[in-house]
Amino acid sequence: MQTINVAIFASGAGSNAQKLIDHFRKHSQIKIALIVCNKPGAGVLTIAQNENIPSLLIEKEQFFRGNAYVDELKQHNVDFIVLAGFLWKVPVQLVKAFPQRIINIHPALLPNYGGKGMYGRFVHEAVIAAKETESGISIHYVDELYDHGQLIFQARCTIEAGDTPDSLAQKIHALEHEHYPVIVEKVIEDLQNRVK
């Protein structure tokens, strides 16, 4: 069975990227082949360096008006893309080049609290301001709209009376780290089985 090469797209410190790298370190068929980042100096680039994983720093013009780096991804034999705290919208060219092969994790229960500008702390602030009693994570396929593609998995956590955006963020991070690598593995294995 062929190895599936995964590219992780991230914009920040890379805690989810690190969990994914750790999870697939010894996997016989799934390999983290590339880290793609849109922010010079982001923590995830240090992780890539420490793990000896090639990285690609992308810039806005080519991503949105060029070919969305599809050629570079092909050069690295990328088969699948995992977004892990990547803050740019994915351009149509990339979605078309990797149909049903790009997944994202969102720190709320979609379809609520998704869309443009809804990321990180902004999501947790909105959820708490709305006096919700629960939040969670949504893992979904990526299409050309923000936080819109078909849902794959959700996990929930309770919001206590004293929770703040920061304490909620910690609960959400715990859910992300627990579930994302496992679900990524399952989605890729299902894909391999369909391709066979």
Coordinates of all heavy atoms in Angstrom, one line a residue, residues 123-172:
V123 N -13.9 33.2 18.7 CA -14.9 32.2 18.8 C -15.3 32.0 20.2 O -16.5 32.1 20.6 CB -14.4 30.8 18.2 CG1 -15.5 29.8 18.4 CG2 -14.1 31.0 16.7
H124 N -14.3 31.8 21.1 CA -14.6 31.6 22.5 C -15.4 32.8 23.2 O -16.3 32.6 24.0 CB -13.4 31.2 23.3 CG -12.6 30.1 22.6 ND1 -13.2 29.0 22.1 CD2 -11.3 30.0 22.4 CE1 -12.2 28.2 21.6 NE2 -11.1 28.8 21.7
E125 N -14.9 34.0 22.8 CA -15.6 35.2 23.3 C -17.1 35.2 22.9 O -18.0 35.5 23.7 CB -14.9 36.4 22.9 CG -13.6 36.7 23.6 CD -12.7 37.8 23.0 OE1 -13.1 38.3 21.9 OE2 -11.7 38.2 23.6
A126 N -17.3 34.9 21.6 CA -18.7 34.9 21.1 C -19.6 33.9 21.8 O -20.7 34.1 22.1 CB -18.7 34.7 19.6
V127 N -19.0 32.7 22.0 CA -19.7 31.6 22.6 C -20.1 31.9 24.0 O -21.3 31.7 24.5 CB -18.9 30.3 22.6 CG1 -19.5 29.2 23.5 CG2 -18.8 29.8 21.1
I128 N -19.2 32.5 24.8 CA -19.5 32.9 26.2 C -20.4 34.0 26.2 O -21.3 34.1 27.1 CB -18.1 33.1 26.9 CG1 -17.5 31.7 27.2 CG2 -18.4 33.9 28.2 CD1 -16.2 31.7 28.0
A129 N -20.3 35.0 25.4 CA -21.2 36.2 25.3 C -22.6 35.7 25.1 O -23.6 36.3 25.6 CB -20.7 37.2 24.3
A130 N -22.8 34.7 24.3 CA -24.1 34.2 24.0 C -24.7 33.3 25.1 O -25.8 32.7 24.9 CB -24.1 33.4 22.6
K131 N -23.9 33.1 26.1 CA -24.3 32.3 27.3 C -24.7 30.8 26.9 O -25.6 30.2 27.4 CB -25.5 32.9 28.0 CG -25.2 34.3 28.5 CD -26.1 34.8 29.6 CE -25.8 36.1 30.2 NZ -24.7 36.9 29.8
E132 N -23.9 30.3 26.0 CA -24.0 28.9 25.6 C -23.7 28.0 26.8 O -22.8 28.4 27.6 CB -23.1 28.6 24.4 CG -23.4 29.3 23.1 CD -24.6 28.8 22.4 OE1 -25.3 27.9 22.8 OE2 -25.0 29.4 21.3
T133 N -24.3 26.8 26.8 CA -23.9 25.9 27.9 C -22.9 24.8 27.4 O -22.4 24.1 28.3 CB -25.2 25.1 28.4 OG1 -25.8 24.5 27.3 CG2 -26.1 26.1 29.1
E134 N -22.7 24.8 26.1 CA -21.6 23.9 25.6 C -21.0 24.4 24.4 O -21.5 25.2 23.7 CB -22.2 22.5 25.4 CG -23.2 22.4 24.4 CD -23.6 20.9 24.1 OE1 -23.3 20.0 24.8 OE2 -24.3 20.7 23.1
S135 N -19.7 24.0 24.2 CA -19.0 24.3 22.9 C -18.3 23.0 22.5 O -18.7 21.9 23.0 CB -18.1 25.4 23.1 OG -17.5 25.8 21.9
G136 N -17.3 23.1 21.6 CA -16.7 21.9 21.2 C -15.8 22.1 20.0 O -15.5 23.3 19.7
I137 N -15.5 21.0 19.3 CA -14.7 21.1 18.1 C -15.5 20.5 16.9 O -16.4 19.6 17.1 CB -13.4 20.4 18.2 CG1 -13.6 18.9 18.6 CG2 -12.5 21.1 19.2 CD1 -12.4 18.1 18.5
S138 N -15.3 21.0 15.7 CA -15.8 20.4 14.5 C -14.7 20.1 13.5 O -13.9 21.0 13.3 CB -16.8 21.4 13.9 OG -17.8 21.8 14.8
I139 N -14.7 18.9 13.1 CA -13.7 18.5 12.0 C -14.5 18.4 10.8 O -15.5 17.7 10.7 CB -12.9 17.3 12.4 CG1 -12.2 17.5 13.7 CG2 -12.0 16.8 11.3 CD1 -11.6 16.2 14.3
H140 N -14.1 19.0 9.7 CA -14.9 19.0 8.5 C -14.0 19.1 7.2 O -12.8 19.5 7.3 CB -15.8 20.2 8.5 CG -15.2 21.6 8.5 ND1 -14.9 22.3 7.3 CD2 -14.6 22.3 9.4 CE1 -14.3 23.4 7.6 NE2 -14.1 23.5 8.9
Y141 N -14.6 18.6 6.1 CA -13.9 18.8 4.8 C -13.9 20.3 4.5 O -14.8 21.0 4.9 CB -14.6 18.0 3.7 CG -14.4 16.5 3.8 CD1 -15.4 15.7 4.3 CD2 -13.2 16.0 3.5 CE1 -15.2 14.3 4.4 CE2 -13.0 14.6 3.6 CZ -14.0 13.8 4.1 OH -13.8 12.4 4.2
V142 N -12.9 20.7 3.7 CA -12.8 22.1 3.3 C -13.4 22.3 1.9 O -13.0 21.5 1.0 CB -11.3 22.6 3.4 CG1 -11.2 24.0 2.8 CG2 -10.8 22.5 4.8
D143 N -14.3 23.3 1.8 CA -14.7 23.7 0.4 C -14.3 25.2 0.3 O -13.5 25.7 1.1 CB -16.2 23.4 0.2 CG -17.1 24.2 1.1 OD1 -16.6 25.1 1.8 OD2 -18.3 23.8 1.2
E144 N -14.9 25.8 -0.7 CA -14.4 27.2 -1.0 C -15.0 28.2 -0.1 O -14.7 29.4 -0.2 CB -14.6 27.6 -2.5 CG -15.9 27.3 -3.1 CD -16.1 25.8 -3.6 OE1 -15.2 25.0 -3.3 OE2 -17.0 25.5 -4.2
L145 N -15.8 27.8 0.9 CA -16.4 28.8 1.8 C -15.8 28.5 3.2 O -15.4 27.4 3.5 CB -17.9 28.7 1.9 CG -18.7 28.8 0.6 CD1 -20.1 28.5 0.8 CD2 -18.5 30.2 0.1
Y146 N -15.7 29.6 4.0 CA -15.2 29.4 5.4 C -16.1 28.5 6.2 O -17.3 28.6 6.3 CB -15.2 30.8 6.1 CG -14.0 31.6 6.0 CD1 -14.1 32.9 5.4 CD2 -12.8 31.2 6.5 CE1 -12.9 33.7 5.3 CE2 -11.7 32.0 6.5 CZ -11.7 33.2 5.8 OH -10.6 34.0 5.8
D147 N -15.4 27.5 6.9 CA -16.1 26.6 7.9 C -17.4 26.0 7.4 O -18.4 25.9 8.1 CB -16.4 27.5 9.1 CG -15.1 28.1 9.7 OD1 -14.1 27.4 9.6 OD2 -15.2 29.2 10.2
H148 N -17.4 25.6 6.1 CA -18.7 25.2 5.5 C -18.8 23.8 5.0 O -19.8 23.2 5.0 CB -18.9 26.2 4.3 CG -20.1 25.9 3.4 ND1 -20.1 25.0 2.3 CD2 -21.4 26.2 3.6 CE1 -21.3 24.9 1.8 NE2 -22.1 25.6 2.6
G149 N -17.6 23.2 4.7 CA -17.6 21.8 4.1 C -18.3 20.8 5.0 O -18.5 21.0 6.2
Q150 N -18.5 19.6 4.5 CA -19.2 18.5 5.1 C -18.5 18.1 6.5 O -17.3 18.0 6.5 CB -19.2 17.3 4.2 CG -19.8 16.1 4.7 CD -19.4 14.8 3.9 OE1 -19.0 15.0 2.8 NE2 -19.5 13.7 4.5
L151 N -19.4 18.0 7.5 CA -18.9 17.7 8.8 C -18.4 16.2 8.9 O -19.1 15.3 8.3 CB -20.0 17.9 9.9 CG -20.1 19.2 10.5 CD1 -21.3 19.3 11.4 CD2 -18.8 19.6 11.3
I152 N -17.3 16.0 9.6 CA -16.8 14.6 9.7 C -17.0 14.2 11.2 O -17.4 13.0 11.4 CB -15.3 14.6 9.4 CG1 -15.1 15.0 7.9 CG2 -14.7 13.2 9.7 CD1 -13.6 15.3 7.6
F153 N -16.8 15.1 12.1 CA -16.8 14.7 13.5 C -17.0 15.9 14.4 O -16.5 17.0 14.1 CB -15.4 14.0 13.9 CG -15.2 13.7 15.3 CD1 -15.7 12.5 15.8 CD2 -14.5 14.6 16.1 CE1 -15.5 12.2 17.2 CE2 -14.3 14.3 17.5 CZ -14.8 13.1 18.0
Q154 N -17.7 15.8 15.5 CA -17.7 16.8 16.5 C -17.5 16.2 17.9 O -17.9 15.0 18.1 CB -19.1 17.5 16.5 CG -19.3 18.4 15.3 CD -20.5 19.2 15.3 OE1 -21.6 18.7 15.6 NE2 -20.4 20.5 14.9
A155 N -16.9 17.0 18.8 CA -16.8 16.6 20.2 C -17.2 17.8 21.0 O -17.0 18.9 20.6 CB -15.4 16.2 20.6
R156 N -17.9 17.5 22.2 CA -18.4 18.6 22.9 C -17.8 18.7 24.3 O -17.3 17.8 24.9 CB -19.9 18.4 23.1 CG -20.7 18.4 21.9 CD -22.1 17.8 22.0 NE -22.7 17.8 20.6 CZ -23.4 18.8 20.1 NH1 -23.6 19.9 20.8 NH2 -23.8 18.7 18.9
C157 N -17.9 19.9 24.9 CA -17.5 20.1 26.3 C -18.5 21.1 26.9 O -19.1 21.9 26.2 CB -16.1 20.7 26.4 SG -15.9 22.3 25.6
T158 N -18.7 20.9 28.2 CA -19.6 21.8 29.0 C -19.0 23.1 29.3 O -17.8 23.2 29.6 CB -20.0 21.1 30.3 OG1 -20.5 19.8 29.9 CG2 -21.1 21.8 31.0
I159 N -19.8 24.2 29.2 CA -19.3 25.5 29.7 C -19.8 25.7 31.1 O -21.1 25.7 31.3 CB -19.7 26.6 28.7 CG1 -19.2 26.3 27.3 CG2 -19.3 28.0 29.2 CD1 -19.7 27.3 26.2
E160 N -18.9 25.9 32.0 CA -19.3 26.1 33.4 C -19.6 27.6 33.6 O -19.1 28.5 32.8 CB -18.2 25.7 34.4 CG -17.6 24.4 34.1 CD -18.5 23.2 34.4 OE1 -19.5 23.4 35.1 OE2 -18.2 22.1 33.8
A161 N -20.3 27.9 34.7 CA -20.7 29.3 35.0 C -19.5 30.3 35.0 O -19.5 31.4 34.5 CB -21.4 29.4 36.3
G162 N -18.3 29.8 35.6 CA -17.2 30.7 35.7 C -16.2 30.7 34.5 O -15.2 31.3 34.6
D163 N -16.6 30.0 33.5 CA -15.6 29.9 32.4 C -15.4 31.2 31.7 O -16.3 32.0 31.5 CB -16.1 28.9 31.3 CG -15.6 27.5 31.6 OD1 -14.5 27.4 32.2 OD2 -16.2 26.5 31.3
T164 N -14.1 31.4 31.3 CA -13.7 32.6 30.5 C -13.3 32.2 29.1 O -13.1 31.0 28.9 CB -12.5 33.3 31.2 OG1 -11.4 32.4 31.1 CG2 -12.8 33.6 32.7
P165 N -13.1 33.1 28.2 CA -12.6 32.7 26.9 C -11.3 31.8 27.0 O -11.1 30.9 26.3 CB -12.3 34.0 26.2 CG -13.3 34.9 26.7 CD -13.4 34.5 28.2
D166 N -10.4 32.2 28.0 CA -9.2 31.5 28.2 C -9.4 30.0 28.7 O -8.8 29.1 28.2 CB -8.2 32.2 29.1 CG -7.7 33.5 28.5 OD1 -7.5 33.5 27.2 OD2 -7.3 34.4 29.2
S167 N -10.3 29.9 29.7 CA -10.5 28.6 30.2 C -11.2 27.7 29.2 O -11.0 26.5 29.1 CB -11.3 28.6 31.6 OG -12.6 29.1 31.4
L168 N -12.1 28.3 28.4 CA -12.8 27.6 27.4 C -11.8 27.1 26.3 O -11.8 26.0 25.8 CB -13.9 28.4 26.8 CG -14.7 27.7 25.6 CD1 -15.3 26.4 26.0 CD2 -15.8 28.6 25.1
A169 N -10.9 28.0 26.0 CA -9.8 27.7 25.0 C -9.0 26.5 25.4 O -8.7 25.6 24.6 CB -8.9 28.9 24.8
Q170 N -8.7 26.4 26.7 CA -8.0 25.2 27.2 C -8.8 23.9 27.1 O -8.2 22.9 26.7 CB -7.6 25.4 28.7 CG -6.5 26.4 28.9 CD -6.2 26.7 30.4 OE1 -7.1 26.6 31.2 NE2 -5.0 27.2 30.6
K171 N -10.1 24.0 27.3 CA -10.9 22.8 27.1 C -11.0 22.4 25.7 O -10.9 21.2 25.3 CB -12.4 23.1 27.6 CG -12.5 23.3 29.1 CD -14.0 23.5 29.4 CE -14.2 23.7 30.9 NZ -15.6 23.9 31.3
I172 N -11.1 23.4 24.8 CA -11.1 23.1 23.4 C -9.8 22.5 22.9 O -9.8 21.6 22.1 CB -11.5 24.4 22.6 CG1 -12.9 25.0 23.0 CG2 -11.4 24.2 21.1 CD1 -14.1 24.1 22.6

